[in-house]
Each structure stands twice: as C-alpha cells, then as structure tokens.
Amino acid sequence: GQNIDQPTEMTATEGAIVQINCTYQTSGFNGLFWYQQHAGEAPTFLSYNVLDGLEEKGRFSSFLSRSKGYSYLLLKELQMKDSASYLCGAHSSYKLIFGSGTRLLVRP
Amino acid sequence: GAGVSQTPSNKVTEKGKYVELRCDPISGHTALYWYRQSLGQGPEFLIYFQGTGAADDSGLPNDRFFAVRPEGSVSTLKIQRTERGDSAVYLCASSPDLNTEAFFGQGTRLTVV
C-alpha cells in the first residue's frame, strides 16, 4: 500500500526555525514534493527531491533519505505569513500522492 | 491563460443530481491530475491523465465518478447521482511532464444539499 505520515499541527515563534518531518511508504517511488497551502487557496510548489540529501532554496530547505523513507522541510527565519499547511507528497509510479498536511501556526 | 483554470469556482447541487467540473490546464502540459480535498485534510488523489488517456484512475471512489480528457487538454470530472459525502473542494493540477512540479488550480467547491 501507500502511506504518507506527517504531524497534524505544529506551532513556532516568529524568527525561529521549524522542521516538519514526513515518512512515506510507496511503491515505484520517484521523488518527494513539498507544497504550501494557505487556507482557502490552492497548494503552491516549494521543493522536489529526487536524490538523497539537502536542497536549499532561500529560507526553505528540504531533505530526503530514500533508504529511510524520510524527508523533512526546514523553514528558517519564520515569518507570520508562513502560517499555512505544508503538504508532503510522494511521486509514486508518476502519480502524486499527498499526506494529510501539517498545519503550522507562527506566533509573534 | 497563465495558470490552471477551474470552473465553476463554486457549485451547489441537490442530492442525486449530475455535475460536471471543468479543468483548463496550462497550455502544453501533458500530465493532468484530479484531487478531492476535505477540510483539514490533504488532497486525495482521484485520477491522472498523460495526454488523452487515463494513466491511473485508482483513486476514483466508485463508478459514479468519471473523468475525460478527449483532446489532451481540457478535462472534465463527472459525478453522477451526487451524495452529500461528495461535498469537498475538487482540485485540478497540471505539469509539463511526469517528473516535474504540478501547478494547481483554485479548485471547485462542490456542496451537495
């Protein structure tokens, strides 16, 4: 079967760093996506990891370990606008399957 | 258009009726995905097309749901005999090919009363 797990909710303070973890079990794994979704809006792309290791894009970084079925999204210098849901998605046999999402609340 | 367009943005229908939801992908994108999202949940995969053919329809919940993409561009998701449990936001996404990011539309909020 296919399974993607991520925490339901997280809270962090403005200016801090937060790490959102994701574990997955899928067949035909091709890569791991992270999307951001603000309430009532469409998901927007953040990162895509195919190979093991860390990919950095400004304040956001994403890590993948294929052997462990594990990824994380790291958000630095948190801003209030980063309050949103973060979706972990596995590219499995070329279809994109999402977890339930992690709701991040950034407090002043 | 510049992005993925979905129409209508909102649809209210009575239980038992038939509905069609339309998705216009980004021009040139060969892959098209349909998802269903309930409040507080992640997008639930329904079906994806590569060109005109449904490459994987394993997420369609039952035979009341059907989707087409006859010319490899616009896609229509069709729901027969709607039920209150079908109420959700239906999201469409497209991507240039199989191993790149997918771009999402704003979704159609379907309410079955």
Side-chain angles (χ1 to χ4, degrees):
Chain A
Q2 298 171 357
N3 194 44
I4 299 174
D5 285 318
Q6 51 183 130
T8 304
E9 289 187 353
M10 298 183 73
T11 302
T13 305
E14 190 177 15
I17 299 173
V18 71
Q19 177 174 313
I20 302 174
N21 296 322
C22 171
T23 58
Y24 63 89
Q25 289 179 308
T26 66
S27 56
F29 179 77
N30 302 115
L32 198 292
F33 284 94
W34 284 95
Y35 279 79
Q36 181 190 59
Q37 186 176 27
H38 285 99
E41 297 183 11
T44 55
F45 171 80
L46 291 176
S47 67
Y48 181 42
N49 292 64
V50 177
L51 302 176
D52 284 1
L54 188 68
E55 299 259 352
E56 298 187 70
K57 272 188 186 181
R59 294 190 299 114
F60 292 9
S61 303
S62 56
F63 171 84
L64 176 66
S65 169
R66 295 175 71 116
S67 62
K68 295 181 179 177
Y70 169 70
S71 174
Y72 67 73
L73 180 69
L74 194 70
L75 293 77
K76 303 175 186 175
E77 300 169 15
L78 281 172
Q79 302 175 8
M80 299 300 291
K81 67 178 182 180
D82 296 330
S83 292
S85 287
Y86 291 85
L87 305 170
C88 174
H91 221 191
S92 170
S93 300
Y94 300 111
K95 69 186 183 189
L96 181 50
I97 308 296
F98 287 98
S100 296
T102 298
R103 286 191 298 281
L104 175 65
L105 175 63
V106 180
R107 292 182 168 160
Chain B
V4 178
S5 175
Q6 291 188 245
T7 53
S9 55
N10 280 282
K11 176 71 177 177
V12 179
T13 191
E14 292 181 347
K15 178 176 177 297
K17 298 290 189 182
Y18 168 83
V19 296
E20 290 190 351
L21 311 180
R22 177 186 167 106
C23 173
D24 279 272
I26 294 172
S27 178
H29 281 195
T30 58
L32 185 147
Y33 303 83
W34 282 101
Y35 293 87
R36 178 169 69 175
Q37 189 173 29
S38 300
L39 192 63
Q41 299 296 312
E44 173 193 3
F45 171 80
L46 297 177
I47 184 171
Y48 106 87
F49 291 87
Q50 181 60 24
T52 59
D56 189 322
D57 64 357
S58 61
L60 295 177
N62 51 59
D63 61 7
R64 296 186 297 105
F65 289 74
F66 189 70
V68 295
R69 194 186 186 198
E71 297 178 359
S73 178
V74 171
S75 177
T76 305
L77 178 66
K78 308 181 181 193
I79 311 174
Q80 298 178 320
R81 304 183 304 281
T82 51
E83 300 177 356
R84 292 197 178 88
D86 299 335
S87 297
V89 175
Y90 288 81
L91 293 167
C92 175
S94 71
S95 65
D97 56 44
L98 294 173
N99 267 332
T100 56
E101 66 182 274
F103 296 83
F104 281 83
Q106 292 297 310
T108 294
R109 180 176 298 278
L110 176 66
T111 304
V112 182
V113 297

